[in-house]
Amino acid sequence: MGSFQVELKKWVDDSYEIEIGFGLQQQFIKDIKNGLVGEIKKFAVITDSVVKDLYAEKIYQSLLEQGYTADLFVFEAGEKSKTRKTKENIEDAIEDAMLEKGYRRDCCIIAVGGGVVTDLAGFVAGTFGRGVPFINYATTLLAAADASVGGKTAVDTPLATNLIGIFNQPEKVYLDIATWKTLPKRQISSGLAETIKHACIANKDFFEFLEENIDKILAIDKEACEHIAEENCRIKYKVVMQDEKESGLREILNLGHTVGRAIETVSDYQLLHGEALSIGMVAEVSLAKKLGYVTEEEKNRVIALLEQAKLPVVIPEYIDREKLVKKLYTDKKVKNGQLRFVVQQGIGEIVEYQENNFAIPIEESVAREIIMEMK
Ligand code: GLY
């Protein structure tokens, strides 16, 4: 009898470019022709029923015109589609349809859409044939601010959001700001919640910029939007570069998400992700105030900015608050049954609770009090 050591030490270069601009479809095709994904000639364009007609169809047609093999895979728009079922096969199947159409490992997946599309397509890409390359072409502010950058991919389950997934980095990310013009106002606000989160975490000047320019952003002013796209990226990629797999610092990106994700699930996705996050940020800035990390004035500024962005800041009547408290335990930051919250320090910084530990253990009674006290 003997034993064997399987040596698998790795050095992996998963670096990629994020391109920000107004109308990037031609640039995308140019990059493919210039070998962005090497010799691959087969592309699965994954999108949802809304983005299909707006942008994905055009990208798919351009690939065909350039002589590539391409297929369009479309699923029903909305967070409710971010499930394992959609991933494998519903009537608008992804994986099974790809297999039926002869897709194997020699393909590349192009995600064209918002956060649900980039999360789902990135997850399919990481598991299809044990992994094929993918590209994110983000068409929403929410995807630009958060979902398309950083390699987190996942699906939701009935119990909670994003619990089943993988870290999988794309080959390139396109943040096409021109696409924000076709977004419903509610979706712009939803994306602004992640933007305000970034400002609260890392940059007080950016927070002030948002206070002064929110109306311009809501009207999709080119310069203001380019600035927020760049700032969002800068804040996010700096964190991801230091802690890709969320073993410490990356937890700060979860500010507002403990209550946010729970309320999103309890609302049965009636609340958009950013709307739920906004309410979650109100809960967490209230906790920060209770713990002495922000002043009353700072707390009110955060809530006022969320309101300026036309986001909800109160818990809707139809939410059962006891159910919400229970749901907090499905959060990924829960350790040994203990609730843990990321908490901001003033505006633009996060509390480092212990070295490289950015989530503070909180007793259920304190969390309950915060939720019960919220209007
Ligand atoms: N959405 C939080 C993160 O990417 O870590």
Side-chain angles (χ1 to χ4, degrees), residues 146 149-150 152 194 197 236 240 246 250 253-254 257 261:
D146 185 39
V149 176
K152 274 190 181 175
E194 292 286 1
K197 178 199 81 177
K236 181 147 191 190
V240 172
E246 201 168 310
R250 188 164 180 169
L253 298 177
N254 291 313
H257 280 71
R261 283 201 198 96

Side-chain angles (χ1 to χ4, degrees), residues 76-370:
E76 193 57 34
E79 182 77 25
K80 278 202 160 182
S81 285
K82 220 178 95 174
T83 62
R84 278 173 283 191
K85 206 78 201 131
T86 311
K87 183 173 177 277
E88 67 192 41
N89 87 50
I90 49 170
E91 55 195 31
D92 10 29
I94 299 178
E95 286 167 350
D96 289 10
M98 281 176 67
L99 289 169
E100 266 166 37
K101 283 187 185 287
Y103 280 77
R104 296 294 180 264
R105 298 203 61 195
D106 58 342
C107 71
C108 171
I109 287 178
I110 320 284
V112 185
V116 174
V117 176
T118 58
D119 269 23
L120 199 50
F123 190 15
V124 171
T127 46
F128 190 84
R130 296 205 182 92
V132 296
F134 77 109
I135 294 168
N136 280 336
Y137 194 100
T139 63
T140 66
L141 171 53
L142 190 114
D146 185 39
S148 69
V149 176
K152 274 190 181 175
T153 72
V155 292
D156 301 330
T157 65
L159 188 75
T161 63
N162 291 331
L163 276 182
I164 308 292
I166 52 169
F167 287 98
N168 189 22
Q169 303 295 345
E171 300 300 310
K172 181 163 176 175
V173 177
Y174 297 86
L175 307 183
D176 185 349
I177 296 166
T179 63
W180 301 359
K181 287 196 166 161
T182 51
L183 282 178
K185 290 204 170 348
R186 214 179 142 198
Q187 290 283 356
I188 294 282
S189 295
S190 179
L192 275 172
E194 292 286 1
T195 308
I196 295 169
K197 178 199 81 177
H198 281 149
C200 286
I201 286 171
N203 190 336
K204 193 168 183 189
D205 291 345
F206 185 39
F207 189 91
E208 283 162 8
F209 174 86
L210 293 172
E211 285 181 318
E212 283 158 25
N213 291 281
I214 209 90
D215 291 338
K216 280 192 188 169
I217 298 163
L218 288 169
I220 316 297
D221 172 84
K222 188 169 182 273
E223 246 174 68
C225 287
E226 266 167 5
H227 182 69
I228 64 163
E230 279 167 17
E231 207 51 51
N232 273 320
C233 272
R234 207 180 326 266
I235 292 168
K236 181 147 191 190
Y237 77 63
K238 277 191 186 156
V239 172
V240 172
M241 283 198 304
Q242 289 175 70
D243 177 24
E244 183 198 353
K245 299 278 167 74
E246 201 168 310
S247 53
L249 184 68
R250 188 164 180 169
E251 283 201 317
I252 69 173
L253 298 177
N254 291 313
L255 180 77
H257 280 71
T258 309
V259 173
R261 283 201 198 96
I263 205 166
E264 188 180 3
T265 321
V266 175
S267 83
D268 196 26
Y269 301 103
Q270 286 183 66
L271 289 168
L272 298 177
H273 178 72
E275 293 171 338
L277 170 59
S278 174
I279 299 167
M281 282 174 65
V282 175
E284 291 188 20
V285 79
S286 305
L287 177 64
K289 167 71 186 43
K290 208 179 247 309
L291 300 177
Y293 293 115
V294 300
T295 62
E296 184 71 22
E297 192 232 332
E298 286 164 339
K299 174 185 141 182
N300 291 337
R301 271 178 81 183
V302 172
I303 298 175
L305 182 55
L306 294 166
E307 280 182 307
Q308 262 184 286
K310 308 212 180 326
L311 285 159
V313 293
V314 294
I315 299 177
E317 286 285 316
Y318 62 83
I319 298 286
D320 176 338
R321 294 182 188 220
E322 277 303 330
K323 210 168 159 188
L324 179 57
V325 173
K326 283 207 184 75
K327 200 49 100 180
L328 296 178
Y329 285 91
T330 57
D331 188 60
K332 289 195 292 298
K333 289 185 301 304
V334 167
K335 258 193 198 156
N336 304 323
Q338 171 85 62
L339 295 175
R340 295 160 71 247
F341 280 67
V342 176
V343 174
Q344 72 188 77
Q345 170 121 42
I347 292 174
E349 276 178 55
I350 288 293
V351 178
E352 187 167 3
Y353 163 68
Q354 285 167 344
E355 201 191 340
N356 203 33
N357 183 349
F358 298 84
I360 303 181
I362 296 294
E363 290 306 321
E364 183 181 310
S365 57
V366 177
R368 171 175 281 106
E369 210 173 281
I370 294 287

